[in-house]
Amino acid sequence: DTLDSLLFLAVRDDTGNRMALVMDDGRLIRLQVGDFSIMADELLWLVFMRMPRTQAGRDALREYGMRSGSLSALRALYLLYRDLQTPEETDTIRRVITTCHEPFRFRPWMDADTP
């Protein structure tokens, strides 16, 4: 929540309260409030990638991911902690990801992982 708020405030300040960004192709995109929680979660992926791959780290990610609904935490469990969980646990994480999150958020990295 704190990261979400900090992102919101930074974008608001940088855009002069317009909450709009100009894309490379010149299009103007107005940010929605929900966009900030997605951006904050995507930033957390960078933190989760650098965490030591230990049982304690896996347990913390699992608890956080299930409590918060963080796709980045579930992504880390799915991609980085397979050796610390059973195939059934990995399949369950995949089902949670694909049923609880929009495909545009997981398709690029999950499809790359699928044989």
Side-chain angles (χ1 to χ4, degrees):
D1 288 340
T2 301
L3 184 55
D4 186 340
S5 296
L6 290 171
L7 279 170
F8 176 85
L9 293 172
V11 170
R12 186 194 66 189
D13 291 346
D14 286 350
T15 63
N17 293 326
R18 290 185 20 226
M19 303 303 286
L21 303 173
V22 178
M23 299 289 101
D24 290 341
D25 64 3
R27 288 182 298 137
L28 188 67
I29 302 293
R30 184 164 302 281
L31 294 172
Q32 305 293 317
V33 173
D35 295 336
F36 292 95
S37 61
I38 291 172
M39 288 186 284
D41 189 49
E42 291 294 326
L43 287 172
L44 286 175
W45 166 245
L46 301 174
V47 174
F48 298 153
M49 283 183 5
R50 294 178 160 267
M51 286 176 54
R53 290 185 179 78
T54 63
Q55 190 69 34
R58 182 195 70 110
D59 294 345
L61 279 171
R62 176 178 283 168
E63 192 276 326
Y64 176 72
M66 295 303 168
R67 180 175 44 81
S68 69
S70 167
L71 178 57
S72 289
L74 296 172
R75 179 182 182 183
L77 290 168
Y78 184 76
L79 295 176
L80 306 176
Y81 289 83
R82 285 185 184 206
D83 58 331
L84 297 176
Q85 56 200 12
T86 67
E88 293 79 16
E89 289 172 310
T90 300
D91 289 342
T92 298
I93 293 166
R94 181 183 178 89
R95 278 194 305 279
V96 170
I97 290 169
T98 58
T99 59
C100 297
H101 295 279
E102 294 291 327
F104 80 89
R105 291 201 58 210
F106 64 78
R107 190 172 290 138
W109 52 265
M110 187 170 287
D111 287 351
D113 178 64
T114 305

